[in-house]
Amino acid sequence: MVSAVARPYIDASVPVLREHGLTITRTFYSNMFAEHPELTNLFNMGNQASGVQQQSLASAVFAYAANIDNAAALGPVVSRIVHKHVSVGIKAEHYPIVGRHLLGAIKEVLGDAATPPLISAWDEAYCELALALISAEKEMYAQAGIEPGQLQNMRVIDICDESADIKAFVLEAMPGEAAPPFKPGQYVSVSVNFENGPTQLRQYSLSDAPTGRTLRISVKREQGSALNPAGQVSNWLHDNVVVGSVVRVTHPFGDFTPDAESTAPIVLLSAGVGITPMISVLNRISQVHPNRQVVFAHAARSTAHYAHRPDIARAQSVMPNLHVVNFLENLTSDDISTDYPGRMDISKLPKWPLDEANVYLCGPVEFMQEQWRSLIEMGVPPTRLHREVFGPELLNYLR
Ligand SMILES: Cc1cc2nc3c(=O)[nH]c(=O)nc-3n(C[C@H](O)[C@H](O)[C@H](O)COP(=O)(O)OP(=O)(O)OC[C@H]3O[C@@H](n4cnc5c(N)ncnc54)[C@H](O)[C@@H]3O)c2cc1C
Ligand code: HEM
């Protein structure tokens, strides 16, 4: 907790910092990357270019300070940051660099309003958060038995076109090595070293149950449009990786870990490529508790865009209490009669015991917001709702 001296300065300045939030964070990143170009290898430069990351790191610091006495709100935020940080190999020695540039950006943007006591209050708040993150990250590296930034070479042994724009890559551990253990729902970061360019890391949820020998990721090609360039890493993976290629991945991390080992009813709701962690969970449940009551609902643009149907069919063949409900935006007469047209509508799902089942969501942000609202209206307790965001968490809800 920040000191009684710092507290009033933090409280008074949070609204001002929020108002100037984007300018501060842009200044922060641009100054930091100018002084430490090597850090661009850690950051997702696609997120930087599209602006989503700018809102994330610094706004987390502001949100933290504003909610400093609200441990319930902060717990999940800190946990997500820690998992993301260890997945990209953040080290303790990076923190002073970020802290210096963040405080520098506050001073630069606020000018005379950034008085010495205000800066010292923010210094204190940043240090407190940094120490908490450093300690949690140190523990996670130790638990995983890895050094920060450690990568494992894995050979691609199979590639499958799962849908019109999703390819699954099966990666096998090198001779004498094992695939890292993971919980269904977790992700690895894939490291791509572009020729004459930067290294970039991207997270991909593991899309099969743990096997001990292999990992599977399923990657959607980010096509790009007239306004946005095509995604760097996903296109590179689609266009360059062949059976026999070696790819480099981090240890699996992530705090979105639906309990696949329990026997309680469970609800898995996904849209688009958000199906990947759900398939890992489903495949694991089909191995350990095939009689478990599972509602699995998925929304896709069309049958051609619906990935991993063979996994679902396999699960259906051994799981008598699995209820699969599909929503297809472009439903044709060839689609099976149990599919619904349009976007996901939870009123179409079979009923489940609201107080017993956890509900897991993964898909585009608007999809999750819409479903989250509907699920709350339906009476699902918020503590039973969990979601995975395939990008930086923008923390808009933390005010
Ligand atoms: C926890 C987690 C799990 C994930 N799991 C999966 C998964 O299982 N499968 C999967 O496919 N993806 C997954 N993702 C998403 C994945 O990590 C990548 O974000 C995705 O593949 C896009 O990466 P890219 O390099 O192809 O695109 P990027 O190059 O990073 O581009 C991303 C977006 O930014 C836009 N952009 C880039 N440059 C600019 C610019 N100059 N101006 C404006 N816009 C720009 C692009 O058009 C694109 O829309 C996951 C993400 C997270 C965080
Ligand atoms: C108190 C300090 C810090 C806070 C509050 C913080 C906060 C965050 C947040 C909120 C995210 C997004 C998590 C998500 O995906 O939802 C993030 C990601 C990230 N952070 Fe930090 N961070 C801090 C320090 C650092 C430091 C010291 C570094 C090292 C340079 C760093 C590098 C990164 C990187 C590389 C990502 C992933 C970005 C991406 O994929 O675009 N952070 N951080």
Side-chain angles (χ1 to χ4, degrees):
M1 196 178 284
V2 291
S3 67
V5 177
R7 183 79 258 182
Y9 288 98
I10 300 279
D11 288 346
S13 57
V14 163
V16 186
L17 293 176
R18 282 236 172 85
E19 192 191 324
H20 297 284
L22 209 54
T23 326
I24 293 173
T25 50
R26 283 204 182 121
T27 310
F28 154 68
Y29 279 113
S30 126
N31 292 349
M32 185 171 77
F33 289 146
E35 198 179 298
H36 289 279
E38 75 284 0
L39 291 182
T40 54
N41 289 337
L42 289 178
F43 283 86
N44 176 332
M45 297 315 278
N47 288 344
Q48 290 287 327
S50 63
V52 280
Q53 175 62 26
Q54 273 90 333
Q55 287 176 49
S56 197
L57 192 155
S59 63
V61 175
F62 304 152
Y64 172 81
N67 288 272
I68 209 149
D69 299 323
N70 184 356
L74 284 178
V77 177
V78 170
S79 162
R80 182 172 164 100
I81 297 173
V82 167
H83 279 272
K84 187 57 103 44
H85 277 176
V86 291
S87 178
V88 295
I90 301 305
K91 301 178 179 154
E93 57 259 38
H94 290 136
Y95 280 85
I97 303 174
V98 164
R100 190 157 46 79
H101 284 285
L102 191 58
L103 292 177
I106 294 176
K107 277 192 212 158
E108 198 175 318
V109 175
L110 295 192
D112 289 346
T115 58
L118 183 134
I119 291 298
S120 119
W122 277 100
D123 193 11
E124 192 184 320
Y126 176 80
C127 285
E128 181 171 325
L129 179 51
L131 287 176
L133 294 177
I134 291 169
S135 140
E137 286 158 17
K138 190 173 164 206
E139 199 177 316
M140 286 196 75
Y141 287 128
Q143 265 173 15
I146 57 161
E147 292 300 320
Q150 189 173 318
L151 295 167
Q152 178 168 356
N153 284 343
M154 296 191 81
R155 190 167 304 280
V156 177
I157 56 164
D158 192 19
I159 300 178
C160 177
D161 284 316
E162 285 292 342
S163 78
D165 52 10
I166 297 176
K167 271 188 185 184
F169 299 89
V170 180
L171 319 176
E172 186 179 51
M174 292 303 202
E177 293 180 3
F182 70 94
K183 292 184 185 154
Q186 290 190 309
Y187 54 82
V188 288
S189 290
V190 174
S191 171
V192 175
N193 208 339
F194 290 101
E195 224 172 291
N196 306 320
T199 301
Q200 281 284 276
L201 291 159
R202 294 291 184 273
Q203 291 68 50
Y204 292 103
S205 301
L206 296 161
S207 62
D208 200 356
T211 68
R213 199 177 54 82
T214 56
L215 299 178
R216 182 173 70 176
I217 56 171
S218 305
V219 179
K220 178 184 169 207
R221 186 195 279 278
E222 290 298 337
Q223 299 276 10
S225 65
L227 294 176
N228 294 326
Q232 230 186 332
V233 171
S234 61
N235 281 281
W236 189 90
L237 292 171
H238 272 247
D239 295 338
N240 293 281
V241 173
V242 293
V243 170
S245 299
V246 172
V247 295
R248 298 189 307 157
V249 302
T250 62
H251 191 87
F253 289 107
D255 63 349
F256 178 80
T257 51
D259 189 355
E261 312 300 318
S262 138
T263 51
I266 186 168
V267 180
L268 305 172
L269 309 179
S270 57
V273 73
I275 197 168
T276 53
M278 306 305 186
I279 292 294
S280 176
V281 177
L282 185 66
N283 286 354
R284 178 67 187 158
I285 295 175
S286 73
Q287 292 168 352
V288 289
H289 294 298
N291 289 323
R292 188 170 175 186
Q293 201 185 331
V294 179
V295 174
F296 185 102
H298 181 64
R301 259 189 290 160
S302 70
T303 297
H305 292 90
Y306 193 138
H308 289 297
R309 271 197 146 158
D311 287 86
I312 297 169
R314 250 191 321 274
Q316 279 177 308
S317 70
V318 295
M319 296 177 64
N321 298 317
L322 166 63
H323 303 280
V324 177
V325 187
N326 301 317
F327 297 86
L328 298 173
E329 271 182 49
N330 302 309
L331 190 70
T332 70
S333 52
D334 293 340
D335 293 316
I336 50 174
S337 57
T338 52
D339 293 345
Y340 288 103
R343 295 153 77 111
M344 186 175 289
D345 172 357
I346 54 163
S347 70
K348 303 273 196 308
L349 306 185
K351 299 277 169 275
W352 69 85
L354 298 187
D355 288 331
E356 285 174 49
N358 280 311
V359 180
Y360 296 89
L361 285 165
C362 187
V365 171
E366 313 77 64
F367 161 83
M368 290 198 284
Q369 281 170 344
E370 207 175 305
Q371 301 313 324
W372 191 282
R373 251 194 320 272
S374 310
L375 289 157
I376 295 284
E377 274 166 27
M378 187 179 155
V380 175
T383 50
R384 295 224 166 256
L385 276 175
H386 315 271
R387 63 178 179 175
E388 178 65 297
V389 183
F390 277 5
E393 174 69 88
L394 296 180
L395 308 169
N396 294 337
Y397 62 92
L398 200 60
R399 285 276 145 196

